[in-house]
Amino acid sequence: MFGTVVVGVGIAGLARIRDLMNPMPSSPSEHLKLFGFVSRRSFGNINEAKQISLEDALSSKEVHAAFISTENRSHEETIRMFLEAGKHVLVEYPMALSAKAAHELWEMAEQKDKVLHVEHIELLTEEYKQLKKEVAGKDLVKGTLHFTGSVLDENKSGFPAFSGIARLTWLIDLFGDLTVASATREKQKEKNYSRMTVHFQTANK
């Protein structure tokens, strides 16, 4: 069995804990054993999974891999700690807040001979697979992707573009590399409102 630990217990972290505690029959996750979870908040146990300290997760010989499901800004530091401790790492997208940091982390994983895997779970959904089939072979003339959400804490989530970067990856996966033509941001603090509008161009304009 391959010992794992989940770091962060937001929506994604709780889903990881649930799936590790109840693996699908005959799936690779049947070979994973959840050693515990790490959180800054105090929970005790969640669905029979026990809370452990970060220090225990890093030092335990029973933990071979970490699933990182924290806010974007802390991904880089947490990945570094687990790679330094000789653990494999799976991290929720995006891996870091800059391409430079991401390249450094890939190199570090290679030097340590560990797997560093970034998972963008939305690209694996049936809805997305269907969307990809529908656009295959078609030329994009013009399109709009609009999504909303609650205002995020920039100290934890990073610059607002990172709140939407997962959706931007849809566009690159569907239509190839994009360049930014223009970008604007509107903020209304009194209404707790923020909006970012970005115009992209495909390779063939």
Side-chain angles (χ1 to χ4, degrees), residues 1-197:
M1 294 292 281
F2 207 67
T4 63
V5 65
V6 172
V7 184
V9 289
I11 294 170
L14 289 172
R16 295 268 180 217
I17 292 170
R18 178 200 66 210
D19 293 345
L20 287 165
M21 299 291 284
N22 303 285
M24 287 177 68
S26 303
S27 72
S29 54
E30 279 196 315
H31 302 287
L32 301 176
K33 180 184 178 187
L34 182 62
F35 183 74
F37 69 89
V38 175
S39 176
R40 290 187 302 263
R41 294 171 290 167
S42 182
F43 287 98
N45 286 10
I46 296 177
N47 297 338
E48 295 177 26
K50 64 178 179 175
Q51 184 166 2
I52 62 172
S53 69
L54 177 61
E55 292 72 24
D56 285 348
L58 291 167
S59 63
S60 174
K61 288 187 168 59
E62 292 183 67
V63 174
H64 306 102
F67 290 8
I68 298 173
S69 304
T70 56
E71 62 273 0
N72 296 341
R73 192 173 288 281
S74 68
H75 286 182
E76 180 185 345
E77 182 188 1
T78 312
I79 292 168
R80 284 185 194 281
M81 285 191 290
F82 278 96
L83 287 177
E84 283 286 1
K87 319 290 187 191
H88 302 288
V89 177
L90 179 146
V91 62
E92 305 286 344
Y93 186 91
M95 178 164 67
L97 296 190
S98 73
K100 181 177 180 285
H103 286 295
E104 286 173 5
L105 293 170
W106 287 125
E107 286 170 17
M108 187 177 177
E110 214 166 280
Q111 288 163 6
K112 298 278 185 184
D113 197 25
K114 296 298 168 191
V115 173
L116 171 55
H117 175 72
V118 186
E119 187 158 280
H120 190 343
I121 200 105
E122 289 178 355
L123 301 185
L124 305 175
T125 63
E126 290 308 315
E127 294 88 344
Y128 184 79
K129 288 176 187 172
Q130 183 59 38
L131 178 62
K132 195 159 184 176
K133 276 183 197 165
E134 287 174 20
V135 303
K138 295 177 182 171
D139 286 327
L140 176 68
V141 178
K142 191 175 182 181
T144 302
L145 177 64
H146 179 226
F147 56 94
T148 60
S150 58
V151 178
L152 297 175
D153 181 346
E154 289 186 33
N155 290 324
K156 294 180 179 177
S157 301
F159 186 68
F162 271 85
S163 307
I165 201 165
R167 302 307 191 291
L168 302 186
T169 309
W170 289 12
L171 298 179
I172 293 168
D173 189 54
L174 293 170
F175 305 113
D177 283 348
L178 303 170
T179 54
V180 179
S182 66
T184 57
R185 184 182 180 194
E186 176 192 349
K187 278 180 93 171
Q188 295 178 23
K189 251 187 174 166
E190 67 283 358
K191 293 183 179 176
N192 201 25
Y193 174 85
S194 177
R195 172 184 172 128
M196 179 170 276
T197 305

